[in-house]
Amino acid sequence: MAGSEEEPITSVQATKGVISQVNSDQDLKEPVLTKRGSAPLATAPEPKPRYVGLPTFDLHLEGLGGKKLAAVWVTTCLLIYFGGLPLCQFCRILPYHDPAAAAAMEAEVPHTHFTISAAVFTAFFFVNLLPLAYETGSAKQQLSILLSFVKLISAYVDYEVTQGGGVIVFDAVGRPMLLHRHFQWLTTSSTLVYCVSKMSDYSQAEVARLVGLQASLICTGTAATLMTSAWKWPLMIYTLISFAIVQIGIWRMINTAREACSDGEQRRRLQFLRNITPHVWNTFPAMWFCQYFGILSVFQAECGNMLGNFVAKALLSSSIMFSNFMSIYQRRAEAKEKAEQSNRLSSQLCLLLPMR
């Protein structure tokens, strides 16, 4: 029958069909030329999901990338620091400044101690702020703003003490403590956790859980420091468990960046950063227990806190992490590009060699 006969397919139609098939296939891989009888050339491994079946959510923060998101984050942290403490004092949740505690702190720790700390953090503030003048990448600019905020608020807390300001009270065992420093830790430690997450493939839900857990453990730790009843120990247990979970999360985030890195020198730097970070962060609970049980004096505990602040905020976050900062997607793209270059060189070499 004439109606059942198929029309011949021209070469142009066949070419169009092949092109449409290629364009519609999302999983099509670029063919790699290999020598006859040889094994396929290596390609960059595809990332495997770390968690399966966990509920996730999207914060829809893509429109606030770079400096805008950093500005929103810093503004929120400033509101927490300057508004959270007065609000808690007004609601009778936290005590007001105690002149007797301030006098005891001054007798134990000279103002020179806080002056040196403020000067060092001020210097690192300008070190982190200068890259805004020449960095063009959105991620590097965001990191520069966030780390500058960490140094600035740390310097401001110590500067307040040198000027007779701040909120100094007695803790549960009768030792003077800087209450406003705990609010500084509430903002800066959460910011550092967020900065580390930018190097990993953690989802927004996972990052939000870690940041929220870090903020909650600072609150419960502060409450346990001030409480005199036996209820302080359940709060301290929660604080230590949450602290361990956050440390494991930070270790995994840095480790994902290390595994995706194709450069040997950067892998060693990230490995050092991964291994040293838990030891530095453990300085703060160690100082708390040593001071609570009378092992260290107020001055010795303050020296330990100052050393932990310097290493965690100034050295690790600025010198090491800033020089090695690269998102997990950039590292994977770099590894894939190197694999493709190696494949191209191998294929060209196979074409030049005589086929046996």
Side-chain angles (χ1 to χ4, degrees):
M1 303 271 309
S4 62
E5 293 181 358
E6 296 181 357
E7 297 181 359
I9 300 176
T10 62
S11 60
V12 176
Q13 291 174 339
T15 304
K16 290 182 178 179
V18 172
I19 295 175
S20 62
Q21 176 69 19
V22 170
N23 292 335
S24 61
D25 191 358
Q26 297 296 332
D27 298 328
L28 185 63
K29 304 297 182 180
E30 182 181 356
V32 180
L33 297 177
T34 60
K35 186 177 179 180
R36 284 186 299 177
S38 62
L41 297 178
T43 57
E46 295 293 333
K48 297 181 179 179
R50 294 176 295 106
Y51 303 106
V52 178
L54 288 180
T56 59
F57 61 89
D58 194 352
L59 300 180
H60 301 288
L61 298 177
E62 290 79 4
L64 292 176
K67 293 186 288 186
K68 291 183 179 180
L69 179 58
V72 172
W73 184 282
V74 170
T75 303
T76 304
C77 291
L78 290 176
L79 291 176
I80 292 174
Y81 178 79
F82 289 103
L85 181 56
L87 181 61
C88 292
Q89 291 173 333
F90 178 79
C91 297
R92 302 296 180 179
I93 300 176
L94 295 176
Y96 285 92
H97 176 75
D98 190 346
M105 176 65 75
E106 185 176 358
E108 290 277 351
V109 185
H111 281 176
T112 308
H113 172 93
F114 299 102
T115 303
I116 295 174
S117 179
V120 171
F121 280 119
T122 302
F124 275 97
F125 163 74
F126 288 106
V127 169
N128 291 150
L129 192 64
L130 285 178
L132 284 177
Y134 57 83
E135 288 289 353
T136 57
S138 175
K140 279 292 186 73
Q141 290 179 345
Q142 183 187 67
L143 186 68
S144 176
I145 294 174
L146 293 177
L147 292 181
S148 298
F149 160 74
V150 170
K151 309 307 182 302
L152 182 62
I153 197 69
S154 301
Y156 177 75
V157 167
D158 293 327
Y159 176 76
E160 268 192 313
V161 179
T162 62
Q163 302 301 311
V167 180
I168 305 177
V169 298
F170 286 110
D171 61 8
V173 294
R175 292 180 175 232
M177 60 171 287
L178 303 177
L179 186 57
H180 61 296
R181 176 186 285 170
H182 288 249
F183 275 79
Q184 175 246 310
W185 285 340
L186 177 63
T187 58
T188 56
S189 61
S190 302
T191 303
L192 290 177
V193 171
Y194 175 73
C195 289
V196 175
S197 71
K198 301 297 289 183
M199 297 192 301
S200 71
D201 59 349
Y202 268 43
S203 65
Q204 293 179 357
E206 293 169 328
V207 174
R209 282 195 289 267
L210 275 183
V211 172
L213 201 61
Q214 175 64 31
S216 67
L217 71 89
I218 296 295
C219 296
T220 55
T222 303
T225 305
L226 295 172
M227 291 178 63
T228 56
S229 64
W231 287 102
K232 69 186 308 176
W233 296 113
L235 292 178
M236 183 52 63
I237 292 174
Y238 169 82
T239 301
L240 294 177
I241 294 176
S242 302
F243 185 78
I245 295 175
V246 171
Q247 291 303 300
I248 293 173
I250 293 176
W251 192 94
R252 287 178 175 175
M253 287 189 293
I254 301 177
N255 194 55
T256 55
R258 174 186 171 275
E259 291 178 349
C261 184
S262 59
D263 184 77
E265 183 178 356
Q266 289 189 4
R267 284 175 64 91
R268 288 190 295 270
R269 292 177 182 176
L270 290 171
Q271 182 176 355
F272 173 77
L273 178 62
R274 181 198 65 183
N275 296 335
I276 198 65
T277 299
H279 298 288
V280 174
W281 281 50
N282 286 329
T283 303
F284 301 102
M287 291 299 104
W288 187 92
F289 280 105
C290 289
Q291 186 175 1
Y292 182 85
F293 291 107
I295 301 175
L296 298 178
S297 64
V298 176
F299 175 74
Q300 292 171 338
E302 283 297 321
C303 289
N305 287 328
M306 183 178 69
L307 179 62
N309 275 331
F310 285 167
V311 178
K313 299 175 183 176
L315 298 180
L316 288 181
S317 66
S318 298
S319 303
I320 300 178
M321 195 179 77
F322 194 83
S323 62
N324 291 277
F325 180 78
M326 185 183 295
S327 68
I328 190 71
Y329 307 104
Q330 291 173 326
R331 295 187 188 277
R332 286 172 177 166
E334 181 182 357
K336 184 177 180 180
E337 182 180 359
K338 288 184 177 180
E340 291 175 350
Q341 289 178 356
S342 177
N343 289 341
R344 283 194 294 268
L345 291 176
S346 300
S347 61
Q348 292 174 2
L349 182 61
C350 292
L351 294 176
L352 293 176
L353 292 176
M355 304 298 292
R356 295 181 180 179

